[in-house]
Amino acid sequence: MTDISSAEDSKKNSVEDTTKKSVLIIEDMNEMRLMLRSMMLSLGYTNIEAEASGQSALKRIAAKHFDIILSDYNLGGRINGQQVLETSRRNNILSHSTIFIMITADTGYDSVVSAIEHRPDSYMVKPFTPATLHRRLSRIKLQKNIFSEVDEHRGKMNFEMMESKAKAIMIKHPQYSSLCLKVIGESLLSRKEYKAAKIHYMRVLKHNQETSWAHFGIAQCDLGLEQPLSAVKSLEKTISITRHFLPAYDTLANTQERLGNLKEAQKAMIASLEITPRSLARTKKLGKISVRLKDWKMAEQAYSRVIRLTKDTQHEKIEYYYEHLKCLIAIQENDDQAPQTAEKLKRSLTRLRMLGKDDPIVVSNSFRVEVQQHLHRERKNDAIKSWKQWKQLILSGKASSISHDQELTLKRKLGL
């Protein structure tokens, strides 16, 4: 009788626990959202919220703690599920205790399982049953519980205790040895014990030369020891083993840039964007490197993509249009036979003027470019028309004034 009573109490406590857990579903397809909600309800979860886009999901994650997040990989907007995971972990708005499961179709499987940077706790390929989801959640919860103290000490930046707990787990649960070895390396790097960390990673590689995270760890040690050339070799090895190891590309680009090898830095960024074409940070990085190289066509492509990624979002900035216009003008000066350049320049100017309509400096800058563009194309009448419109806006205070000498020079060019 006591055993039956205990079993019932245990079941009751389990149900109570699940009802207290908060769940976020990120899915752009309404039917799939409803299906996932139904699955979670069948498993005893009742505190369920849903978002249809990556942008809105990030705001929700920043505002509230969730115990479980189920996210589709291919979301319809500008941000996919992997970017939700990357951004929330990079900005420290996602707790280590949160279970993050990525859901994908067969076509997205390789991208998810290979995304080494901020890997999800698990992934599930559609279609799947509630029983499969339950088994997956149970397995992750067990691992989370085992590593809970490690995560707690990581959060407190108590790296020595984090390492100590990882070593204890490795003895008690040898099936988690690889994870524990990664934690130990992370601890040593965080404490800037680069020599000890390098020895640790080299021991890992003795057992398996194809351990990409150990090669990446050695690269971080070499950078800490001011040995960038050695770091480059380890980073290239990391990428050769695991093409989707995104931090390796970022670190490689930064290291090559530091060494003055801008062409190699650009090459690393281009390769990373083949994997994450919607990464705003990497696209901006490619644009900046390409401008330094005076590779105007590549720079224009990069800033054009930045504009597409940020348009009508909180991330859209006037400076992106300035950079884009600079690239277009340079292309035009070097290649008069570029037919699309003038049209791109016109579109970029129009958007810049709309965004900065309340800023007199932006308005003046846009007209300055427009007049120069008309003169370059030998359209003097259009240039004069733009100048007259600009002058009226200057007189009304809607555009910032230019110096007397600048105005005389401009009029001379216009033949006025």
Side-chain angles (χ1 to χ4, degrees):
M1 186 72 177
T2 305
D3 290 342
I4 293 171
S5 177
S6 297
E8 287 177 348
D9 287 343
S10 175
K11 186 177 179 181
K12 184 179 178 183
N13 288 336
S14 175
V15 170
E16 286 174 352
D17 285 341
T18 54
T19 58
K20 290 176 183 177
K21 300 293 182 183
S22 56
V23 178
L24 176 63
I25 294 168
I26 311 170
E27 170 60 64
D28 60 322
M29 302 283 288
N30 186 51
E31 297 84 355
M32 191 66 184
R33 279 201 304 275
L34 293 172
M35 190 190 79
L36 288 170
R37 181 185 287 273
S38 177
M39 280 190 181
M40 295 305 286
L41 284 169
S42 73
L43 297 178
Y45 297 92
T46 55
N47 184 8
I48 304 169
E49 299 177 36
E51 289 293 348
S53 72
Q55 294 96 317
S56 56
L58 282 171
K59 291 178 183 176
R60 188 70 69 97
I61 294 167
K64 178 180 176 180
H65 167 79
F66 289 96
D67 297 291
I68 300 170
I69 296 176
L70 306 177
S71 177
D72 189 57
Y73 179 73
N74 291 306
L75 299 171
R78 291 186 175 91
I79 300 176
N80 64 25
Q82 182 62 30
Q83 287 170 295
V84 170
L85 178 60
E86 281 186 27
T87 305
S88 55
R89 285 202 175 149
R90 192 184 296 119
N91 295 338
N92 295 316
I93 59 173
L94 186 68
S95 169
H96 281 284
S97 64
T98 299
I99 293 172
F100 195 110
I101 297 179
M102 197 77 74
I103 298 168
T104 179
D106 289 330
T107 52
Y109 176 83
D110 288 339
S111 299
V112 175
V113 299
S114 301
I116 299 297
E117 181 182 31
H118 307 301
R119 180 177 267 177
D121 293 300
S122 189
Y123 56 86
M124 301 196 70
V125 179
K126 302 172 188 175
F128 51 86
T129 64
T132 304
L133 179 57
H134 177 65
R135 285 195 298 272
R136 194 66 57 86
L137 282 169
S138 298
R139 193 169 74 226
I140 300 167
K141 283 177 186 176
L142 175 62
Q143 183 178 309
K144 289 279 186 184
N145 286 335
I146 290 170
F147 282 85
S148 61
E149 288 185 301
V150 168
D151 291 333
E152 183 183 340
H153 290 300
R154 181 189 281 113
K156 293 177 180 177
M157 298 180 74
N158 189 344
F159 301 115
E160 288 187 11
M161 281 302 295
M162 185 176 86
E163 181 179 339
S164 175
K165 294 295 179 183
K167 286 177 177 176
I169 291 169
M170 194 159 50
I171 294 167
K172 192 173 181 181
H173 304 281
Q175 68 271 33
Y176 293 123
S177 290
S178 181
L179 273 174
C180 292
L181 289 168
K182 283 181 76 174
V183 171
I184 293 166
E186 178 191 342
S187 168
L188 291 167
L189 281 172
S190 298
R191 285 146 53 196
K192 297 184 178 179
E193 294 185 17
Y194 301 121
K195 289 182 179 178
K198 189 168 182 177
I199 292 167
H200 168 75
Y201 287 122
M202 288 174 75
R203 283 174 181 159
V204 171
L205 290 173
K206 273 187 179 180
H207 295 283
N208 185 0
Q209 273 293 320
E210 299 298 295
T211 308
S212 55
W213 55 262
H215 285 286
F216 182 65
I218 287 175
Q220 290 175 293
C221 294
D222 285 335
L223 288 171
L225 295 167
E226 297 296 327
Q227 297 171 351
L229 290 172
S230 297
V232 165
K233 289 180 182 177
S234 292
L235 291 166
E236 288 173 344
K237 180 66 176 176
T238 304
I239 292 166
S240 72
I241 295 169
T242 309
R243 178 176 170 264
H244 288 77
F245 203 128
L246 294 168
Y249 292 97
D250 298 333
T251 309
L252 179 59
N254 290 336
T255 307
Q256 294 285 25
E257 195 173 13
R258 174 182 164 188
L259 289 167
N261 302 329
L262 294 180
K263 202 70 183 173
E264 290 301 314
Q266 183 192 54
K267 185 179 172 183
M269 280 293 93
I270 291 170
S272 73
L273 285 166
E274 288 175 2
I275 302 164
T276 57
R278 291 190 287 183
S279 170
L280 178 58
R282 294 187 183 101
T283 308
K284 287 197 294 184
K285 179 80 171 176
L286 175 60
K288 287 177 181 177
I289 292 170
S290 299
V291 166
R292 289 184 65 191
L293 280 168
K294 291 185 168 42
D295 184 348
W296 299 113
K297 288 186 178 179
M298 181 59 71
E300 187 277 325
Q301 288 174 24
Y303 282 109
S304 181
R305 187 186 291 181
V306 167
I307 286 168
R308 287 198 303 274
L309 289 169
T310 59
K311 192 174 181 182
D312 296 321
T313 73
Q314 61 180 350
H315 302 293
E316 189 174 21
K317 293 180 182 178
I318 283 169
E319 67 189 65
Y320 300 152
Y321 291 89
Y322 281 150
E323 293 296 333
H324 189 226
L325 288 166
K326 181 167 75 175
C327 297
L328 289 168
I329 290 166
I331 289 170
Q332 197 173 62
E333 287 174 352
N334 290 290
D335 182 9
D336 283 327
Q337 304 304 315
Q340 297 97 2
T341 305
E343 187 56 37
K344 286 180 180 179
L345 212 150
K346 183 180 177 181
R347 286 200 303 268
S348 208
L349 267 176
T350 301
R351 185 67 179 174
L352 172 65
R353 199 167 289 166
M354 192 191 82
L355 286 172
K357 63 182 184 295
D358 298 323
D359 187 333
I361 294 173
V362 174
V363 173
S364 261
N365 285 339
S366 70
F367 274 99
R368 183 180 285 107
V369 172
E370 185 173 273
V371 171
Q372 289 173 349
Q373 158 76 357
H374 287 318
L375 286 171
H376 179 80
R377 299 176 69 197
E378 297 181 352
R379 294 183 175 182
K380 188 173 280 190
N381 289 337
D382 289 333
I384 291 169
K385 185 179 175 182
S386 293
W387 161 243
K388 287 180 177 178
Q389 188 181 353
W390 181 11
K391 182 66 174 177
Q392 287 299 316
L393 290 169
I394 290 172
L395 292 172
S396 67
K398 292 181 180 178
S400 61
S401 60
I402 59 176
S403 71
H404 179 67
D405 288 343
Q406 286 174 330
E407 186 169 336
L408 285 176
T409 302
L410 183 57
K411 284 181 176 179
R412 195 180 305 117
K413 287 181 181 178
L414 294 171
L416 297 176

